[in-house]
Structure formats: structure tokens, C-alpha cells
Amino acid sequence: MDRNELRSALLRLMGGKGYRPMNKSELSRELSLPSNDRPLLRTELAAMEREGLIAEGRKGRYELPKHPGQDKLRGTIKFLPRGHAWFYPDAVDPDNVATGIDLKKYSRVHIPRRDTGTALEGDRVIISFHLPRPEPWKQRGRGPQVPEEEPDARGKVEKVLERRSGRIVGVFCRKSKFIWVETEDPALAGQIDIFGDTTAEPGQLVVVDLDQWEKNKTPRGRILEVLGWPGQAGVDIAAVIHRHGLRTTFPENVLAETRAVPEEVDPQEMARREDWRDRLVITIDPADAKDHDDAIWVERHDKGWTLAVHIADVSHYVKPRTPLDKEASERGNSTYLVDRVLPMLPPELSNGICSLKPGVNRLTKCAIIEISPQGKVLKTRFCDAVINSQSKLSYEQAQAILDGKPAPEGSPATLVEMVKESWRMAETLRKKRFKDGSLDLEMPEIRVKLDDKGKAVEVHQVEHTASHQLIEECMLLANEAVAHILKIRNKPTIYRVHEDPDFGKLAEFTETARAHGYQPGDLSNRAHIQKLLDSSKGRPDEHLIKLGLLKSLKRAAYAPDPLGHYGLAKADYCHFTSPIRRYADLIVHRSLQPYLTNAPKHPDKVAGQTELAEFSRHISDTERTSADAENETKQIKMLEYLDGCTKQDPPPEFDGMITDVRNAGLLVEATEIGARGLVKSEDLPRGDWHFEHAQMRYVSRSGQQFQLGQKVKLQVQRIDFQGKFIDFRIAGEPVSKVHGAPIKWDGTPPPKPKQERKPKFEKTWPPKGKKPKKQGKKKR
């Protein structure tokens, strides 16, 4: 055991629940240290005590130090639109563990805008952590004063450890000989002084590399790149890429290593592997996919089904600690923006030798799973294989086969039967998964279609059909099977975890569900959650209920420990099926190598627990960054499309739903395109409208209403590109009487009754005809 692993083990032990102070001998026995590691134990205990990580108590017994009310935590900062931020502490960082703070309970910490210091989006920072002193609850009568509720954690940025990129996007400005950049970045809204030469012209978007920035001082930087004029094709997406610090090109040494990979599979390597080239192995992917990383084969027999899940063997081509591996680990994952893909691996690999294209030999890692007729896993084994995919289907083509239509021309004769049998198996697996407690949290996918110039011309919802579910169930089963064997063999790897929810947040969501007319029951019970989801299916507010529930749950992440997956109701789960686009899957492939039926002579070395913890933190961060960038580019193009709708005559109408009712107006969602916005109170149809907070509705004096959950027809009123807001207006005949059948709305306001104008102040004293008496001095 090296010193870092020993130090981490000591901190985990001392920070664990129920730990009692131990001396050196007891610690050695508890950690099962061999005798030759005891000198290292003594050295590390002394060093950790000097650094203040542990404290030595009576009789030479060690424990974590008793900290005051404010502690330091390390982690990553993410900004909100108005400048406030969330801080995500590293749960496995030894210094964080040493504080004794419950990092599961405080998995994120709020940083007020005034306390973000000089941090930028995605930076690694140290914060001071504290709990605000709660205001006592003033009770009537006797009895102790108790806080109304537990206060939220707060933090303040003390130091920036590492910049993610240090780059800011803004508008170049010039006045006389002075030049600067105006930025609306949430972390740094305002002015950046510029030094050095530039070819930028006033009004153009530029990328600034910060050089100096001290608190309460104007930051300074130099212009790295001129993106172009706002509104110019591609400039908006390029700004997002730079803002999130994403990589668009590969270093030369990585490209050189990629070019050295042969385009044909090595015959000696194929001879070592199981040969599946004569079997009907097929891929089912989106129609425009180029990186095919999974393929399936299914066979029905007396005992149920045999499923083979073949995954592209990226680990054969990308070896640990090479330039290619380091670049892939830095990127963490591929990023799918609205108009392009930023791949984790160079396209020559991701779209070439690694992609499971039809009609060519490809190397795979294969999970072979025996499944009972009831959907229970009977047996699993894993091997290195070689395949030659015999059919490349899109989801639409596979769904056509399930709907009874013929297979594409030139397809193998048995393709139709295997696709249908695969769905019968997947349907059985799906029913069993939900019966076992898995939650149906699938959200609709919205896609924006662009023209040749990169302008948004269409927005549509992607239908999640049976063909999607077929592949999904196969991949979930393979991921679970691989995680199970790695756990029981105690092999270091990276797991996909989804921890149990914060039941306080679930209680808050319970009230939201009740406001929509549901009887949610006890949402700490998984069965009640699924019952609520089932009852919302097909209703106008189904999306709202799912979204609210998702916000109440914790975010899935990567971890070196098998903590289970709450949403899927699985004790063992990892990511194994997409190594072309996720670095976590590549690590899992390396961990699996010793347990293959035809394991290689020299399996790849897998990192130790401490390094895997750091990888887990890093790729969880890159996943979050990619998701934010993907959503931002989609939102930009959505606004562009909706702005075009305002210029059409007549403007298009969208099916919508009222998701909330506030004094400012109606919060609505155009359900068919997933766009959320506001119908301001002044933009309601003509009439005298009154806001009723208790009933969550607007009511007119003529008896018409808008209320929570009501379906409406929407048109776009205006777009605020700067604030990224959408204002809608009501179209058609959307309202009905509060009681009774719908009435026609003719657009004319109801007549107002005449009212006598009252004076501003009414004089009531003294009475008419009388003067007030003068008050004399009182006699003593």
C-alpha cells in the first residue's frame, strides 16, 4: 500500500460512522496492514497530525480533529444565470473527508453572488463552509424555542485552485485609445480591460484570456480569438464552446498516435477471440449516427433467451497513459451540440476502426447473458470477440419491422424474426424492471433542425418507440451484469451511482403534486413515486410532474464504490456500453479484462482507488459541463426558431399548458416543442383580470379563467435573446367560465360599473358647526 492509499484509508476509517479513537496497533489491525507497512503507518500518522488532518488524543489514540463552525472544502463551482452559484464538494477528497462534514447531506452548497470571489464557471476552488444561525421560532405560551426548519448550507470562495479555462466571451468596445470588452458572463458581468494588439472591430464577439483579476478590481486580459459579428452563422455556438472550455481540436501527438493505428483488424488478434462473424449480429442506432458502439444478437430457446451484447473494444486501441488516453480522460466524454459533435476520440477511431460498421471485421467486448422466460438472469459470461455486423438498422427501420412492415431491401432472411424476438425479450425485461421498483423518468427529447447556413428551421419531439426501448433494456442488462462481476471480484473500477434522495425535497415536491390535484401519498416510498408517475401519464401536466420529481432527486454521477442506482432500483450498476463516447466505460473495459473467458496475456493496468476517485470526480464534472453546453446551444437555436415564428403571417400556434400561476402572469409550456415561457398579465386577452393566489388562477369579471394545469393555445409574443426569455400570448378561444360550459370570447372587455369618486381624505373631525376646544394646561 502506498502512502496516498494509506492516508485515504485512514481518513475514511476515522470519518466513518461509529468510529472510536484507536492507537497505532489497533489501526494496523483494523486496516489489515502487513508488518512491513507498519513503519509507513507510523510515518503517515505523524505527518497527518502535523498537517492538522488528524489529532492524537489520550493514550496515543487518533481521531479527526474537532473543527469550529466553519470549515474549508474543495470542489467545483457552477454559476446560475444571476451570478449566484452552486459548489459541488469532492466527496472522496481526503481534506474534505477530514472536516467531518456530511458530504452526502451537503452534496452541493449555495454560494451567494457577493461571495463567489474571482471564480469562473467550472473552476476548482476552496470555500469556507458554514451553516447560518437559524432564527428561533417564536412560540406563544411556554416551552422551548425551536428553529422553524434546518438552515441551508452556505459557502464563500476563499481561493481558486485551478482554472477550467480562464476564458470569457464578450463584445469588443473602443473609445478613442481605450479598448475593453463588455461581458454578461454570470461569473464576471461587466468590463474587462484589454491590453495587446487585436484585429477586432467594435461590436464583434471576442474570446478573452484573463491575465489579472483581483477582488474589487477591474480584470485585465488579452484577446485570443475574434469570433465574429453577433447573428453571424456559427458565432453563437462558437461562443458557447469557448465559454464552457470545450476542446475542438486534438494535439499533434494524439493525431500521430491515431494515424499509427491500422485500418484493418490484426488477423492474429482475431484468432485469439471468439468468432461471431457468421451470426446475425446487428446494430440499431439513430439514422445519422456514425459512431456505432453497440450491437446485439438474440436467440430464443426452451429455457428462455440468450442475449449477446457486443461493445466496441476501444481498450484494444487506446492504452493507459498514452497521449491518446490522456486526451480522452481530459475530455471525459463526447459532447453533442445542436450543430456538431466534439468527440472524445479522434474521428479516425470513433467513426473508423472502433465503430461497428456493417460488412467489416470489428473487435468487441461481449457480454453473453442467459435469461429466463420471466426475465430473470440465469447465467452470464464475458469474452473478447470479433464480429461482422450483418445489418445496420435505424430506430425508424427497426420500428417499422415491429409494426409488421418488411425489412429494408437486401436484409438477411432471419432479420425480421430476430428483431421481433428481441422485442419480446426486451418487453419482458422492461416489465420486470418496473415491477422491481425502477422509476419511469424518461423525458421527451427535443431536436432542433438547422438549414445549410446553421439557422433553426424546425423543432420537433423525438418519439421514444419500442425500438428505442429494445436497445435500452439490452444495454441496462449488460451494464448491470458487468458491475456485478466486478463488485463480487472486488476489482477497482468506476461505477455509475444514483444515491437515495433528500426526503426533505421530496416532501416539498409532494405539496406541488397536491396543487395539481394528485394524491401522492408518501414519496419516501418508491412504490408511491411510481404510482404518481403512472397516474400522470397522458395528462397535460405529465412533463411537469416528471420534471419536478427529477429536481427532487439527486444527480447521477460516477464513483469508485458500488453505491447502487436509486432510479433504476439496481444494487450494481456501471457504464460499459459506450466506450467510444464515455471515458468511464473505457475504464470498466480495462477492469473486466482479467475475467474474460479468453483474457489477454497482459491485461491493462487499472488505476488504484485514490486515482479512480479523482477520475470519478473529473468525469462527473465533464459530463455536467457537456450537458450544460448541449442545453445552451439547443436553447439558443430554439429562441432563434421562435423569433422566426413572430415574423410569420399568420404566426403559428402551439399546444400549451399552464404550469404555474403568479402575480406577474402565467408560466406556460409549449408542450410539443418543450419551450417554457411567460404570458405576462398585461398580455392576457382583453378584459378585467384578477389574480387569485389561493386558487392559483386568473379570473375575469365576466367569469372566465386561466388556472394551473389548463390547456391553452399559444403564440410567440416576443423573444429576449439577452435574458433568454420567451414571452407568449394566448391564441384562439382558450378560456372557460369558472362554473359551467365554455363560452365564446369575443375580445371585448366587460362594461365597468359606474362608481362615485371618493375624496382622497375624508374629514370626520370636528363635526360641522363646532370648533375644537383648546386644551389647557393641567393643574397639578
Side-chain angles (χ1 to χ4, degrees):
M1 181 180 293
D2 64 30
R3 61 184 301 271
N4 289 330
E5 290 178 336
L6 176 59
R7 179 173 288 213
S8 297
L10 286 167
L11 291 174
R12 280 198 301 271
L13 174 62
M14 295 181 189
K17 192 175 181 181
Y19 171 79
R20 60 174 183 81
M22 299 182 186
N23 59 30
K24 295 170 186 174
S25 300
E26 291 170 329
L27 288 170
S28 179
R29 286 195 297 272
E30 186 69 23
L31 296 175
S32 303
L33 294 178
S35 57
N36 58 341
D37 277 348
R38 289 176 186 172
L40 177 62
L41 173 65
R42 291 192 292 270
T43 303
E44 277 307 301
L45 286 173
M48 292 170 71
E49 186 187 7
R50 286 195 303 271
E51 295 170 21
L53 298 177
I54 60 175
E56 184 178 4
R58 297 176 59 188
K59 298 183 179 180
R61 298 180 183 277
Y62 293 89
E63 61 182 332
L64 296 179
K66 302 293 188 297
H67 284 266
Q70 194 176 66
D71 294 289
K72 302 291 192 295
L73 291 175
R74 298 166 183 260
T76 307
I77 192 168
K78 293 284 183 180
F79 280 83
L80 299 169
R82 295 187 179 180
H84 303 288
W86 287 112
F87 169 80
Y88 297 89
D90 298 343
V92 294
D93 186 284
D95 292 338
N96 288 352
V97 174
T99 63
I101 295 170
D102 188 344
L103 298 177
K104 288 186 178 180
K105 181 177 181 181
Y106 301 111
S107 58
R108 68 178 188 176
V109 179
H110 181 69
I111 312 292
R113 181 174 185 172
R114 65 180 179 274
D115 294 331
T116 57
T118 59
L120 297 174
E121 174 72 12
D123 285 353
R124 295 264 299 149
V125 298
I126 294 179
I127 70 159
S128 55
F129 170 94
H130 65 277
L131 293 172
R133 183 174 296 175
E135 291 292 330
W137 179 43
K138 297 179 180 178
Q139 295 178 329
R140 291 184 179 179
R142 298 178 182 178
Q145 291 184 338
V146 296
E148 187 173 352
E149 61 180 14
E150 185 177 346
D152 293 331
R154 293 287 186 271
K156 179 180 180 181
V157 174
E158 300 291 344
K159 183 180 179 181
V160 176
L161 292 173
E162 180 185 347
R163 293 281 190 205
R164 189 185 68 188
S165 68
R167 297 180 179 181
I168 298 291
V169 176
V171 178
F172 180 72
C173 303
R174 182 192 298 273
K175 187 173 183 181
S176 184
K177 62 180 180 179
F178 299 103
I179 58 174
W180 71 96
V181 166
E182 291 287 345
T183 177
E184 295 173 3
D185 192 287
L188 177 59
Q191 180 177 315
I192 304 172
D193 289 343
I194 299 299
F195 63 91
D197 297 329
T198 179
T199 59
E201 296 181 35
Q204 288 186 320
L205 279 177
V206 297
V207 180
V208 179
D209 185 23
L210 285 183
D211 183 67
Q212 298 174 13
W213 186 20
E214 298 178 18
K215 195 173 181 181
N216 300 323
K217 291 186 178 180
T218 303
R220 299 180 74 238
R222 66 172 66 246
I223 293 178
L224 286 182
E225 184 178 344
V226 178
L227 299 179
W229 299 99
Q232 195 175 350
V235 170
D236 48 3
I237 305 300
V240 173
I241 290 172
H242 284 284
R243 192 179 298 121
H244 290 274
L246 301 174
R247 301 177 181 223
T248 57
T249 59
F250 289 91
E252 184 54 40
N253 60 343
V254 172
L255 294 176
E257 185 181 345
T258 302
R259 288 191 288 266
V261 176
E263 295 182 5
E264 299 294 331
V265 178
D266 182 7
Q268 291 185 347
E269 182 61 26
M270 285 196 294
R272 185 187 69 79
R273 296 171 174 249
E274 281 194 21
D275 195 341
W276 284 69
R277 288 177 291 178
D278 60 342
R279 306 198 196 190
L280 183 56
V281 177
I282 65 170
T283 61
I284 303 178
D285 288 292
D288 56 352
K290 296 179 181 178
D291 51 348
H292 307 282
D293 48 14
D294 58 79
I296 63 168
W297 171 88
V298 176
E299 183 179 67
R300 179 69 193 244
H301 49 72
D302 295 339
K303 296 181 180 179
W305 296 276
T306 300
L307 164 67
V309 178
H310 288 272
I311 305 300
D313 193 357
V314 176
S315 66
H316 177 75
Y317 300 102
V318 181
K319 293 302 178 183
R321 305 192 185 282
T322 61
L324 185 54
D325 178 61
K326 290 178 181 178
E327 179 69 14
S329 68
E330 284 295 321
R331 292 181 177 232
N333 48 262
S334 297
T335 303
Y336 294 84
L337 304 179
V338 71
D339 67 337
R340 72 194 77 180
V341 178
L342 304 178
M344 183 181 78
L345 300 172
E348 292 83 356
L349 284 179
S350 58
N351 299 346
I353 190 66
C354 291
S355 183
L356 306 183
K357 296 178 180 179
V360 291
N361 297 328
R362 289 292 184 260
L363 304 181
T364 66
K365 287 275 187 293
C366 183
I368 300 150
I369 308 171
E370 302 291 338
I371 304 166
S372 75
Q374 294 75 36
K376 184 179 178 181
V377 175
L378 303 174
K379 183 180 178 183
T380 60
R381 72 179 182 91
F382 308 92
C383 68
D384 275 339
V386 56
I387 67 168
N388 191 305
S389 173
Q390 297 188 25
S391 182
K392 170 191 168 185
L393 293 176
S394 66
Y395 284 119
E396 292 76 13
Q397 289 172 327
Q399 187 60 43
I401 292 174
L402 295 178
D403 292 339
K405 297 176 182 176
E409 188 176 346
S411 298
T414 56
L415 176 65
V416 170
E417 181 53 35
M418 196 185 87
V419 171
K420 290 183 176 181
E421 194 60 57
S422 299
W423 171 238
R424 285 190 280 269
M425 175 199 70
E427 191 174 28
T428 302
L429 292 171
R430 188 173 178 84
K431 288 178 181 177
K432 182 180 184 302
R433 179 163 65 85
F434 289 129
K435 184 179 178 182
D436 291 343
S438 182
L439 301 177
D440 185 7
L441 293 171
E442 179 189 321
M443 300 293 287
E445 181 186 355
I446 304 298
R447 286 195 181 176
V448 183
K449 185 178 179 182
L450 310 181
D451 61 15
D452 295 339
K453 297 180 180 179
K455 188 175 181 180
V457 293
E458 181 187 338
V459 176
H460 65 277
Q461 194 173 121
V462 178
E463 187 181 1
H464 197 77
T465 61
S467 61
H468 292 79
Q469 296 169 9
L470 187 163
I471 294 299
E472 180 184 36
E473 295 303 323
C474 293
M475 300 305 117
L476 288 173
L477 199 64
N479 287 337
E480 184 181 17
V482 172
H484 182 68
I485 189 174
L486 293 178
K487 185 173 110 172
I488 62 175
R489 299 294 180 93
N490 202 26
K491 179 70 173 177
T493 195
I494 287 181
Y495 295 90
R496 183 67 169 178
V497 301
H498 187 209
E499 297 185 66
D500 290 349
D502 181 336
F503 294 110
K505 291 183 178 179
L506 279 179
E508 292 176 11
F509 173 67
T510 300
E511 298 307 314
T512 303
R514 285 200 180 102
H516 283 264
Y518 293 94
Q519 299 297 324
D522 179 12
L523 295 186
S524 63
N525 185 327
R526 189 195 301 269
H528 287 199
I529 293 180
Q530 189 56 57
K531 186 178 179 181
L532 172 62
L533 292 172
D534 291 340
S535 61
S536 70
K537 281 185 178 176
R539 287 184 46 162
D541 54 4
E542 177 183 3
H543 177 72
L544 188 68
I545 291 295
K546 283 187 175 181
L547 189 64
L549 180 57
L550 277 172
K551 289 180 178 179
S552 304
L553 300 178
K554 292 185 178 179
R555 189 166 187 161
Y558 294 103
D561 301 309
L563 304 176
H565 199 292
Y566 177 83
L568 295 173
K570 294 185 183 294
D572 310 316
Y573 195 69
C574 70
H575 276 166
F576 162 75
T577 55
S578 296
I580 291 178
R581 61 185 180 91
R582 292 188 303 229
Y583 192 74
D585 303 53
L586 179 54
I587 290 178
V588 169
H589 278 223
R590 291 168 180 165
S591 300
L592 184 64
Q593 287 177 5
Y595 311 113
L596 304 174
T597 55
N598 52 356
K601 290 183 179 179
H602 304 290
D604 291 335
K605 185 178 179 181
V606 179
Q609 198 76 0
T610 303
E611 194 175 355
L612 285 176
E614 177 61 24
F615 273 135
S616 299
R617 178 203 63 77
H618 170 69
I619 59 181
S620 295
D621 285 346
T622 59
E623 178 188 48
R624 190 182 292 115
T625 298
S626 292
D628 290 345
E630 291 165 14
N631 291 334
E632 187 175 346
T633 59
K634 190 177 290 185
Q635 184 186 28
I636 286 171
K637 292 303 179 182
M638 172 75 79
L639 294 176
E640 184 178 88
Y641 167 73
L642 293 177
D643 184 57
C645 292
T646 64
K647 300 175 175 63
Q648 295 181 28
D649 189 20
E653 295 184 3
F654 301 98
D655 292 330
M657 183 187 65
I658 299 172
T659 60
D660 200 359
V661 182
R662 298 182 183 176
N663 195 36
L666 309 172
L667 292 179
V668 295
E669 178 176 353
T671 51
E672 57 192 304
I673 59 173
R676 290 183 285 275
L678 175 70
V679 178
K680 293 181 178 179
S681 55
E682 59 263 32
D683 291 334
L684 290 172
R686 292 173 62 191
D688 188 7
W689 294 94
H690 172 63
F691 173 55
E692 295 184 353
H693 181 270
Q695 284 75 31
M696 300 288 285
R697 66 183 181 183
Y698 268 89
V699 181
S700 75
R701 292 178 61 252
S702 62
Q704 298 164 324
Q705 71 170 352
F706 290 111
Q707 65 181 357
L708 181 69
Q710 182 177 338
K711 288 184 177 181
V712 291
K713 289 285 186 181
L714 299 171
Q715 290 177 322
V716 183
Q717 177 80 352
R718 66 184 71 85
I719 298 294
D720 179 358
F721 285 98
Q722 184 175 342
K724 294 183 172 61
F725 297 132
I726 307 169
D727 287 342
F728 287 102
R729 63 174 177 266
I730 304 296
E733 300 173 7
V735 295
S736 61
K737 281 189 176 181
V738 177
H739 302 289
I743 63 171
K744 188 171 183 179
W745 176 256
D746 60 4
T748 57
K752 293 184 178 180
K754 293 184 178 179
Q755 294 181 348
E756 290 185 9
R757 187 174 179 180
K758 292 183 178 179
K760 247 183 181 180
F761 302 100
E762 188 174 353
K763 190 174 180 182
T764 59
W765 183 262
K768 287 183 179 180
K770 293 186 178 182
K771 294 183 179 180
K773 292 181 180 180
K774 292 183 179 181
Q775 300 292 331
K777 293 183 180 180
K778 290 184 179 180
K779 293 182 180 180
R780 292 187 178 178

